[in-house]
Amino acid sequence: MNLPSLTYSDDQATAYDGVAEMLRGAGIDLEDSLLMPPPGGADQVMAVTGKAGSGKTLLLAELYKALEEAGVEVVSGDYESRKRRDKRTLAILAPTNKAASVLRLRGVPATTIHRILYTPVYDPEYERIAEWLAGNGERPVDVEGLTELALDRAAAFYAGNKSIPGALAAAGLRGSDFITGWKRREEPLDIGFVDEASMLDDKQFEDLKEIFPTLLLFGDPAQLAPVNQSGTMVFEKLPQKRVMNLNRIFRQDADNPILDLAHALADPDLGFEQFERMVEETARRDNRVVWGQRVEVDLMARSPVLVWRNATRIRLINAFRNVHGAPEDALLEGEPLICDGLELPLKHRKKRLDLEARGLIKGAQVIYLGAGRKPGFSRLHVMGAEDPQVSAASIVKIEKPDEEEPFIPFAARMGATFLHGAAVTIHKAQGSQWETVQVFAPDLYAAARMGRMEAGQPLWKRLAYVAITRAQERLIWVVRNRLSKPGGPLVVDDLRSQPVAPLSLETTTEDFG
């Protein structure tokens, strides 16, 4: 078939052709840009797999562009226009806000799985504006809070960027202000692309198959399988002919030492000590890899230290709080947190949907901005979310070394629960990326000494692979139990650019080991 002008590797071209054939069977011809009604029949699931640097994200982006050029409408989770019988749609999904934001930074309009499974109920005024911007309705008149000039600004923004929330922001409004509730999606969608599919568990996979008759998964088989999945990933259960693997590894300009280290782990004869010597040698010749003698505390507020053992995570968190002088009974503005789930009774299901849809799902990374107006409420910045600032009822838990029960500085009666986020396990970091990543090597050494295996591979190698590939620009391989002192206090000024959206619901070092 005629591929886009981009030059593909042989395995990328084969994968593109395989996906195009699947889409043709679903009534979408990419070669001739023809859209037909879905033919019905058996659902289709296919996977594109490959290690970091193999071109999975590039292929996803090119397939998205080809579908958009063919006239397929992208469903982002922000607003869906009225259904038309001839409309074909695509949703691009990731398991977490952070993973979705990595795709959005590359120009791919991704949203979270949760944001597609649950849809907002909008105020009628919002729908009038949105349908007009999408070309499906008349220009609204007499909209409270919107002047004619503001409407013109919204229309001008939408003409260049097909984002209705963005257009409203240009007019001085926020889409979230018009959301009156949430409901589980009742009608199926059309085509779904899922990035970071190695993170999917069986329940999420079944939910997605109910929504999307045509589903394409993108995943890395070298990562860690979800907890309680017996070391397997959902795409590993597909028939072999439905899985296309990308084998070639593309290098960035002047090579990529971080990817080189990650792919060196595939050598079955490579031991931990040999690998560490490889890291040390790489650090001598390339400043993108650092042989770290201590944990850099100034990075921990936005980029958590990646560890294997919970005991290490808890010690690092307490060391971080101690060097910043954090009181035991309160949080400092700028402290990082990780959402650990929601503590809500079943009768508050609507509130649960509201919290989750705003990005407060398990594993979400947030920055504490200060106390809310009500006792137990917190103002938070959800990292990677498109509408990041919220105020929510919170239950914050600070775990202590050698203590079974966590210390709780404050708590609402119910709401979102949080653990501290200055350090996280490598399992929880999966799907996220940061510009600079610190990996706590003594933990991986402990895993190597234990000789544990996962899905036929030494566990330390899987842990090291996932941890290393979280780094976009710079990798710090920390080899000692030492923590630097902070260069200054925690800051949040760079996160205060947007107003908070309320959620209505009752260089010296010191040792941390």
Side-chain angles (χ1 to χ4, degrees), residues 210-347:
E210 285 183 15
I211 297 290
F212 297 102
T214 301
L215 190 61
L216 182 62
L217 310 177
F218 293 83
D220 186 340
Q223 291 194 6
L224 295 157
V227 179
N228 302 323
Q229 285 285 105
S230 302
T232 60
M233 302 170 189
V234 293
F235 49 75
E236 293 175 330
K237 302 173 186 178
L238 297 176
Q240 189 172 356
K241 65 180 181 180
R242 307 300 290 173
V243 180
M244 295 165 292
N245 192 54
L246 304 181
N247 295 298
R248 179 182 170 188
I249 303 302
F250 294 86
R251 300 172 187 269
Q252 296 180 355
D253 294 341
D255 291 339
N256 185 333
I258 298 170
L259 284 185
D260 287 343
L261 290 170
H263 294 300
L265 292 161
D267 182 353
D269 297 325
L270 183 72
F272 182 83
E273 289 80 5
Q274 292 171 289
F275 180 70
E276 281 218 312
R277 297 291 73 75
M278 190 179 294
V279 174
E280 191 172 16
E281 290 167 8
T282 303
R284 289 195 190 105
R285 66 175 184 267
D286 197 309
N287 60 13
R288 288 172 289 181
V289 175
V290 177
W291 183 259
Q293 295 294 325
R294 62 187 183 183
V295 174
E296 297 298 332
V297 71
D298 287 337
L299 294 173
M300 295 171 70
R302 302 293 171 84
S303 176
V305 181
L306 305 188
V307 304
W308 174 47
R309 297 177 291 190
N310 261 320
T312 307
R313 179 180 63 85
I314 293 168
R315 287 203 317 273
L316 278 167
I317 286 167
N318 281 271
F320 172 88
R321 300 199 80 232
N322 287 339
V323 297
H324 277 292
E328 285 213 347
D329 60 348
L331 291 177
L332 298 175
E333 291 185 13
E335 287 198 66
L337 302 173
I338 300 288
C339 182
D340 196 42
L342 302 176
E343 292 190 5
L344 292 168
L346 288 176
K347 67 179 181 179

Side-chain angles (χ1 to χ4, degrees), residues 38-262:
D43 295 345
Q44 302 184 93
V45 181
M46 185 175 280
V48 175
T49 63
K51 292 185 178 181
S54 62
K56 297 187 303 296
T57 303
L58 174 67
L59 188 60
L60 185 157
E62 291 303 311
L63 285 164
Y64 147 65
K65 291 175 187 175
L67 284 165
E68 187 179 46
E69 288 170 5
V72 174
E73 182 175 318
V74 175
V75 176
S76 69
D78 289 316
Y79 181 78
E80 294 175 43
S81 60
R82 296 165 188 163
K83 293 188 178 296
R84 301 193 312 267
R85 297 184 67 181
D86 61 339
K87 184 173 73 171
R88 303 302 305 270
T89 63
L90 165 70
I92 302 166
L93 314 175
T96 64
N97 282 294
K98 198 74 169 63
S101 71
V102 171
L103 285 175
R104 290 198 298 270
L105 288 172
R106 301 184 184 191
V108 178
T111 189
T112 62
I113 292 170
H114 188 277
R115 197 69 164 78
I116 287 295
L117 291 177
Y118 295 93
T119 61
V121 178
Y122 287 108
D123 182 279
E125 286 286 359
Y126 180 90
E127 293 195 350
R128 285 175 57 206
I129 301 168
E131 291 297 331
W132 163 63
L133 289 170
N136 300 323
E138 298 293 326
R139 181 184 175 109
V141 293
D142 300 326
V143 178
E144 185 177 352
L146 266 187
T147 64
E148 291 297 310
L149 182 59
L151 285 173
D152 289 341
R153 286 201 305 271
F157 180 94
Y158 191 77
N161 186 326
K162 302 300 181 185
S163 166
I164 289 173
L168 284 179
L173 296 176
R174 295 179 352 134
S176 57
D177 295 336
F178 293 87
I179 296 173
T180 60
W182 300 85
K183 63 179 181 179
R184 187 175 176 94
R185 184 179 294 278
E186 297 172 356
E187 297 182 2
L189 286 171
D190 193 354
I191 302 159
F193 288 179
V194 184
D195 198 24
E196 296 289 352
S198 58
M199 297 174 66
L200 292 180
D201 59 31
D202 290 335
K203 175 63 168 61
Q204 289 172 312
F205 186 41
E206 292 303 316
D207 284 344
L208 289 168
K209 287 195 290 185
E210 285 183 15
I211 297 290
F212 297 102
T214 301
L215 190 61
L216 182 62
L217 310 177
F218 293 83
D220 186 340
Q223 291 194 6
L224 295 157
V227 179
N228 302 323
Q229 285 285 105
S230 302
T232 60
M233 302 170 189
V234 293
F235 49 75
E236 293 175 330
K237 302 173 186 178
L238 297 176
Q240 189 172 356
K241 65 180 181 180
R242 307 300 290 173
V243 180
M244 295 165 292
N245 192 54
L246 304 181
N247 295 298
R248 179 182 170 188
I249 303 302
F250 294 86
R251 300 172 187 269
Q252 296 180 355
D253 294 341
D255 291 339
N256 185 333
I258 298 170
L259 284 185
D260 287 343
L261 290 170

